């Protein structure tokens, strides 16, 4: 049943994407506003934002299982896992970014990056800001939810998404919690990059940078893509180097998604 829930949810997300009624998050914004009014410290504040909806979901799933059986619980699991996928139209955003960068409109392309990436772009060249932004967005919308669902079930997947949303809407207030939750799935994705790309060239990222507590998740993922796919931008102008970097990111995320689905499917057969 767990694999069936996973495949159905993945298929629905691939078909419909995000942005529908299940991803509007109005209830969560309302909850955040109420918790903000309490002016609590970071960890108590985060627990209230996340623990309350997770406990409500746990109770709902338990009651469904008790009164309607496994099929109803499975259908509810599909909904919960679908809600746990990321927000925003990542495939369209990255295509629009590349379309603008290819014609030299870097200012227009930068408008498609998140605010943090646009601010760092002032100190970064050769498409590094775009690579970091789209690497993390591509990673965070799908891979952690998959891993936590497979390890601990749908409630773990939705917990990750709620922490992500709370951190995003508070301008990074809960970044320590995000770094903790991102640690394992980001490193597993880094291993995936290495297997798909140049493993020998990526080995240092696996043995050194992966255990560097000072490196951010987006920087680590961008580094893995750069080394695994040997992204070379020397001798190119800024627009060309940006296109090369972001195209490599797009390729890495798409291939890794297919690999993770294949691996989960193979594991489910045994």
């Amino acid at each position: 049943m767990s694999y069936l829930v996973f495949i159905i949810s993945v298929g629905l997300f691939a078909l419909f994407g995000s942005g529908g009624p299940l991803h509007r998050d109005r209830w969560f914004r309302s909850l955040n506003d109420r918790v903000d009014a309490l002016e609590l410290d970071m960890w108590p504040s985060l627990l209230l934002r996340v623990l309350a909806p997770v406990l409500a979901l746990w109770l709902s799933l338990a009651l469904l299982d008790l009164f309607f059986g496994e099929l109803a619980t499975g259908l509810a699991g599909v909904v919960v896992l679908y809600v746990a996928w990321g927000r925003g139209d990542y495939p369209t955003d990255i295509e629009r970014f590349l379309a603008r960068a290819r014609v030299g409109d870097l200012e227009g392309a930068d408008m498609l990056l998140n605010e943090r990436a646009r601010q760092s772009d002032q100190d970064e060249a050769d498409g590094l800001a775009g690579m970091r932004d789209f690497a993390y967005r591509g990673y965070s919308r799908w891979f952690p939810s998959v891993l936590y669902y497979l390890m601990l079930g749908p409630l773990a997947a939705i917990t990750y998404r709620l922490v992500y949303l709370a951190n995003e809407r508070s301008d990074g207030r809960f970044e320590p919690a995000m770094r903790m939750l991102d640690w394992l799935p980001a490193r597993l994705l880094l291993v995936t990059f290495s297997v798909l790309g140049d493993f020998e060239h990526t080995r240092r990222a696996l043995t050194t940078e992966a255990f560097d507590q000072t490196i951010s998740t987006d920087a680590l993922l961008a580094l893995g893509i750069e080394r695994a796919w040997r992204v070379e931008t020397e001798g190119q102008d800024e627009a060309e180097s940006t296109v090369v970097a972001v195209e490599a990111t797009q390729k890495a995320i798409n291939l890794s998604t297919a690999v993770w689905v294949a691996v989960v499917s193979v594991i489910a057969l045994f």
Side-chain angles (χ1 to χ4, degrees), residues 62 149 152 185 193 238:
Y149 170 74
L152 301 169
F193 292 160
E238 189 174 359

Side-chain angles (χ1 to χ4, degrees), residues 131 190 193-210 215 219-232 248 252:
M131 176 181 279
L190 188 64
F193 292 160
S194 301
V195 172
L196 291 172
D198 188 332
F199 180 83
E200 189 66 25
H201 197 57
T202 319
R203 186 168 56 181
R204 177 178 170 80
L206 293 172
T207 58
T208 304
E209 282 87 357
I215 189 170
L220 179 65
L221 293 173
L223 180 65
I225 294 171
E226 181 181 2
R227 293 184 179 176
W229 274 270
R230 288 185 172 272
V231 178
E232 302 288 346

Side-chain angles (χ1 to χ4, degrees), residues 9-166:
S9 185
V10 168
L12 291 175
F13 190 60
L15 183 62
F16 297 109
S18 62
L22 293 176
H23 284 176
R24 288 177 184 167
D25 304 321
R26 291 175 181 171
W27 64 272
F28 192 62
R29 285 194 293 270
S30 177
L31 175 62
N32 273 261
D33 291 340
R34 292 176 181 272
V35 175
D36 286 338
L38 298 177
E39 299 182 352
L40 299 172
D41 291 337
M42 186 191 77
W43 290 109
S45 176
L46 182 61
L47 282 175
L48 276 181
R49 297 167 201 266
V50 175
L51 194 59
V54 169
L55 286 176
L57 281 172
W58 173 80
L59 180 60
S60 299
L61 291 174
L63 291 174
L64 281 174
D65 186 50
L66 178 64
F67 291 105
F68 299 101
E70 187 178 5
L71 179 59
T73 306
L75 292 174
V78 171
V79 174
V80 172
L81 187 54
Y82 189 90
V83 174
W85 302 134
R87 293 0 179 202
D89 193 350
Y90 174 80
T92 300
D93 284 347
I94 199 169
E95 287 293 348
R96 290 171 61 196
F97 181 94
L98 286 170
R100 295 181 182 184
R102 285 174 182 139
V103 297
D105 182 15
L106 293 181
E107 291 186 4
D110 286 346
M111 295 300 295
L112 295 170
L113 302 178
N114 65 33
E115 185 175 351
R116 185 182 305 181
R118 289 199 300 271
Q119 291 173 351
S120 66
D121 190 38
Q122 299 175 359
D123 303 319
E124 295 173 340
D126 300 328
L128 182 57
M131 176 181 279
R132 289 176 58 162
D133 184 41
F134 284 112
Y136 187 74
R137 286 164 63 180
Y139 149 82
S140 63
R141 73 192 292 265
W142 196 80
F143 294 94
S145 297
V146 169
L147 181 63
Y148 287 120
Y149 170 74
L150 296 174
M151 291 174 58
L152 301 169
L155 294 182
I158 197 68
T159 296
Y160 175 87
R161 186 56 52 197
L162 293 178
V163 174
Y164 180 93
L165 292 173

Side-chain angles (χ1 to χ4, degrees), residues 115-116 164-175:
E115 185 175 351
R116 185 182 305 181
Y164 180 93
L165 292 173
N167 187 58
E168 185 180 54
R169 292 190 169 98
S170 62
D171 296 325
R173 181 186 178 192
F174 306 111
E175 192 64 30

